[in-house]
Amino acid sequence: VQAIHAALSGLDARFGFATDGLAALRQAREQRPDLVLLDMYMPGLDGLEVLRQLRADEALADTQVIVVTRYAFPEMEQRALEAGGVDFIAKPYSHAVLQARVRNVLRLKAQALAMRDAERAHWRRIGSARLARVVAAASDAIVTADAAGAIVLINAAACRMFGVDAAFQIGRPLQALL
């Protein structure tokens, strides 16, 4: 723990440490970290079981896990990666390599989250555009307002009913229209 902390001390990050599997899970659930460095062998739950439980927890789905262990044989690496680890680092390790791998994992996670957020925003825009087309074509009068009471949408049927032009109604108080 002290060696990993020393190796990563140059990174702009907050660190939390646990010395057994149950404490690691509890801490992950409380803090929802971006990244967990996990040893394969710990008191209580071993690293593979901690990794499986992290992956099973939907609230921790975005948490990246790098397995850091002195048990560096191919079968162990395979088991760690199949359980959901994103990288596997054998001890002893170079501080520079550990830092680079941590930075890469965090950068890739940030990119993936940015892409997911952009995709969600895209689908919200498409949904909003479709909704606007449906509302615009509706034969019933529809007016919506935001929490402050300002008109954000008014369809053609409502404009005919109130005898107003939609272009001049957006942003006006709903009470003024009514």
Side-chain angles (χ1 to χ4, degrees):
V1 169
Q2 291 172 347
I4 287 176
H5 187 260
L8 299 177
S9 63
L11 298 177
D12 182 26
R14 284 185 307 113
F15 297 99
F17 298 96
T19 55
D20 65 74
L22 288 174
L25 281 172
R26 187 172 42 255
Q27 193 171 40
R29 289 179 177 133
E30 290 170 3
Q31 297 178 5
R32 296 191 179 175
D34 290 321
L35 173 66
V36 171
L37 299 177
L38 186 64
D39 200 333
M40 290 301 280
Y41 292 99
M42 299 178 291
L45 298 178
D46 70 7
L48 284 176
E49 183 57 29
V50 171
L51 185 50
R52 286 186 193 103
Q53 288 192 35
L54 287 171
R55 289 291 162 251
D57 189 331
E58 194 169 310
L60 297 169
D62 290 333
T63 301
Q64 304 298 297
V65 178
I66 297 176
V67 174
V68 181
T69 185
R70 66 184 171 109
Y71 299 98
F73 48 92
E75 295 82 16
M76 183 60 72
E77 185 173 356
Q78 177 185 356
R79 288 172 52 203
L81 295 173
E82 286 176 350
V86 297
D87 203 351
F88 186 92
I89 300 173
K91 295 177 187 175
Y93 50 81
S94 154
H95 286 201
V97 169
L98 180 64
Q99 284 183 6
R101 288 186 177 197
V102 165
R103 276 194 302 272
N104 285 341
V105 166
L106 292 174
R107 180 182 46 78
L108 291 171
K109 178 184 179 182
Q111 288 173 344
L113 291 176
M115 287 174 52
R116 184 188 69 194
D117 291 347
E119 184 175 335
R120 285 180 178 168
H122 168 73
W123 287 110
R124 273 195 302 273
R125 283 191 302 277
I126 288 175
S128 295
R130 286 183 182 154
L131 177 60
R133 285 193 303 274
V134 168
V135 168
S139 58
D140 293 328
I142 301 174
V143 179
T144 61
D146 62 15
I151 296 172
V152 293
L153 185 137
I154 184 168
N155 70 351
C159 289
R160 283 191 301 276
M161 185 174 96
F162 290 110
V164 297
D165 185 342
F168 298 109
Q169 299 307 308
I170 305 300
R172 291 190 62 217
L174 180 59
Q175 289 301 325
L177 177 68
L178 300 178

